[in-house]
Coordinates of all heavy atoms in Angstrom, one line a residue:
A768 N -26.5 -2.1 -39.4 CA -26.1 -2.9 -40.5 C -27.3 -3.5 -41.3 O -27.0 -4.2 -42.2 CB -25.1 -3.9 -39.9
H769 N -28.4 -3.2 -40.8 CA -29.5 -3.8 -41.6 C -29.7 -3.0 -42.9 O -29.6 -1.8 -42.9 CB -30.9 -3.6 -40.8 CG -30.9 -4.7 -39.7 ND1 -30.8 -6.0 -40.0 CD2 -31.3 -4.6 -38.4 CE1 -30.9 -6.6 -38.9 NE2 -31.4 -5.8 -37.9
A770 N -30.0 -3.7 -44.1 CA -30.2 -3.0 -45.3 C -31.6 -3.5 -45.8 O -31.8 -3.6 -47.0 CB -29.1 -3.5 -46.4
L771 N -32.5 -4.0 -44.8 CA -33.7 -4.6 -45.4 C -34.7 -3.4 -45.6 O -34.7 -2.2 -45.1 CB -34.3 -5.4 -44.2 CG -33.4 -6.6 -43.8 CD1 -34.1 -7.3 -42.7 CD2 -33.3 -7.6 -45.0
E772 N -35.7 -3.7 -46.5 CA -36.8 -2.8 -46.7 C -37.5 -2.6 -45.3 O -37.8 -3.6 -44.7 CB -37.8 -3.3 -47.8 CG -37.1 -3.3 -49.2 CD -36.9 -1.9 -49.7 OE1 -37.7 -1.0 -49.3 OE2 -35.9 -1.7 -50.5
G773 N -37.9 -1.3 -45.2 CA -38.7 -1.2 -44.0 C -38.0 -0.8 -42.7 O -38.5 -0.4 -41.8
E774 N -36.6 -0.8 -42.9 CA -35.8 -0.5 -41.8 C -35.9 1.0 -41.5 O -35.8 1.4 -40.2 CB -34.3 -1.0 -42.0 CG -33.4 -0.8 -40.8 CD -33.8 -1.5 -39.5 OE1 -34.5 -2.6 -39.6 OE2 -33.5 -1.2 -38.4
R775 N -35.8 1.7 -42.6 CA -35.9 3.2 -42.3 C -37.2 3.7 -41.7 O -37.2 4.4 -40.8 CB -35.7 4.0 -43.7 CG -35.8 5.5 -43.6 CD -35.8 6.1 -45.0 NE -34.5 5.8 -45.7 CZ -33.5 6.5 -45.5 NH1 -33.5 7.5 -44.7 NH2 -32.5 6.3 -46.3
G776 N -38.3 3.0 -42.1 CA -39.5 3.3 -41.5 C -39.6 2.9 -40.0 O -40.1 3.6 -39.2
K777 N -39.0 1.8 -39.7 CA -39.0 1.4 -38.2 C -38.2 2.3 -37.4 O -38.7 2.7 -36.2 CB -38.4 0.0 -38.2 CG -38.4 -0.7 -36.8 CD -37.7 -2.1 -36.8 CE -37.8 -2.6 -35.5 NZ -37.2 -4.1 -35.5
C778 N -37.1 2.9 -38.0 CA -36.3 3.9 -37.2 C -37.1 5.1 -37.0 O -37.0 5.7 -35.9 CB -35.0 4.2 -37.9 SG -33.8 2.7 -38.1
L779 N -37.7 5.5 -38.1 CA -38.5 6.9 -38.0 C -39.7 6.7 -37.1 O -39.9 7.7 -36.3 CB -38.9 7.2 -39.3 CG -37.8 7.7 -40.4 CD1 -38.3 8.0 -41.7 CD2 -36.9 8.8 -40.0
A780 N -40.2 5.5 -37.0 CA -41.4 5.3 -36.2 C -41.0 5.3 -34.7 O -41.9 5.7 -33.8 CB -42.1 4.0 -36.5
S781 N -39.7 5.0 -34.4 CA -39.4 5.0 -32.9 C -38.9 6.3 -32.4 O -38.7 6.4 -31.3 CB -38.2 4.0 -32.7 OG -37.1 4.4 -33.6
G782 N -38.9 7.3 -33.4 CA -38.5 8.7 -32.9 C -37.2 9.1 -33.5 O -36.8 10.3 -33.2
M783 N -36.6 8.2 -34.3 CA -35.3 8.7 -34.9 C -35.6 9.6 -36.1 O -36.8 9.6 -36.6 CB -34.5 7.5 -35.3 CG -34.2 6.5 -34.1 SD -32.9 5.2 -34.7 CE -33.0 4.2 -33.2
D784 N -34.7 10.4 -36.6 CA -34.8 11.3 -37.5 C -34.2 11.0 -38.9 O -34.6 11.4 -39.9 CB -34.2 12.6 -37.1 CG -34.9 13.2 -35.9 OD1 -36.0 13.6 -36.1 OD2 -34.2 13.1 -34.8
D785 N -33.2 10.0 -38.9 CA -32.6 9.6 -40.1 C -31.9 8.3 -40.0 O -32.0 7.7 -38.8 CB -31.5 10.7 -40.6 CG -31.5 10.8 -42.2 OD1 -31.8 9.9 -42.8 OD2 -31.3 11.9 -42.6
F786 N -31.3 7.7 -41.0 CA -30.8 6.4 -41.0 C -29.4 6.3 -41.8 O -29.3 6.9 -42.8 CB -31.8 5.7 -42.0 CG -31.5 4.2 -42.1 CD1 -32.0 3.2 -41.3 CD2 -30.6 3.8 -43.3 CE1 -31.7 1.8 -41.6 CE2 -30.4 2.5 -43.4 CZ -31.0 1.4 -42.6
L787 N -28.4 5.7 -41.1 CA -27.1 5.6 -41.6 C -26.7 4.1 -41.6 O -26.7 3.6 -40.4 CB -26.1 6.4 -40.9 CG -24.8 6.7 -41.5 CD1 -24.9 7.3 -42.9 CD2 -23.9 7.7 -40.6
S788 N -26.3 3.5 -42.6 CA -26.2 2.0 -42.8 C -24.6 1.9 -42.6 O -23.8 2.6 -43.0 CB -26.5 1.6 -44.1 OG -26.3 0.1 -44.3
K789 N -24.2 0.8 -41.9 CA -22.9 0.3 -41.7 C -22.6 -0.5 -42.9 O -23.4 -1.2 -43.4 CB -22.7 -0.4 -40.4 CG -23.0 0.3 -39.2 CD -23.0 -0.6 -37.9 CE -23.3 0.1 -36.7 NZ -23.3 -0.7 -35.5
P790 N -21.3 -0.4 -43.3 CA -20.2 0.2 -42.8 C -20.3 1.7 -43.0 O -20.6 2.2 -44.1 CB -18.9 -0.4 -43.3 CG -19.4 -0.9 -44.7 CD -20.8 -1.3 -44.5
I791 N -19.8 2.6 -42.1 CA -19.8 4.0 -42.3 C -18.6 4.5 -42.8 O -17.5 4.1 -42.4 CB -20.0 4.6 -40.7 CG1 -21.3 4.0 -40.2 CG2 -20.2 6.1 -40.8 CD1 -21.4 4.4 -38.7
R792 N -18.7 5.3 -43.9 CA -17.7 5.9 -44.6 C -17.6 7.5 -44.2 O -18.6 8.0 -44.0 CB -17.8 5.9 -46.1 CG -17.6 4.4 -46.5 CD -16.2 4.0 -46.4 NE -16.1 2.5 -46.7 CZ -16.0 1.5 -45.7 NH1 -16.1 1.9 -44.5 NH2 -15.8 0.3 -46.0
P793 N -16.4 8.0 -44.0 CA -16.3 9.3 -43.5 C -17.0 10.3 -44.5 O -17.7 11.3 -43.9 CB -14.7 9.5 -43.7 CG -14.2 8.3 -43.5 CD -15.0 7.4 -44.3
T794 N -17.0 10.3 -45.7 CA -17.8 11.2 -46.6 C -19.2 11.1 -46.4 O -20.0 12.2 -46.3 CB -17.3 11.0 -48.0 OG1 -17.6 9.6 -48.4 CG2 -15.8 11.1 -48.2

Side-chain angles (χ1 to χ4, degrees):
H769 283 312
L771 300 175
E772 288 294 333
E774 185 62 21
R775 180 186 297 274
K777 185 178 180 180
C778 294
L779 296 177
S781 66
M783 300 186 191
D784 298 284
D785 217 326
F786 178 94
L787 194 58
S788 179
K789 298 178 183 179
I791 302 171
R792 291 293 174 256
T794 55

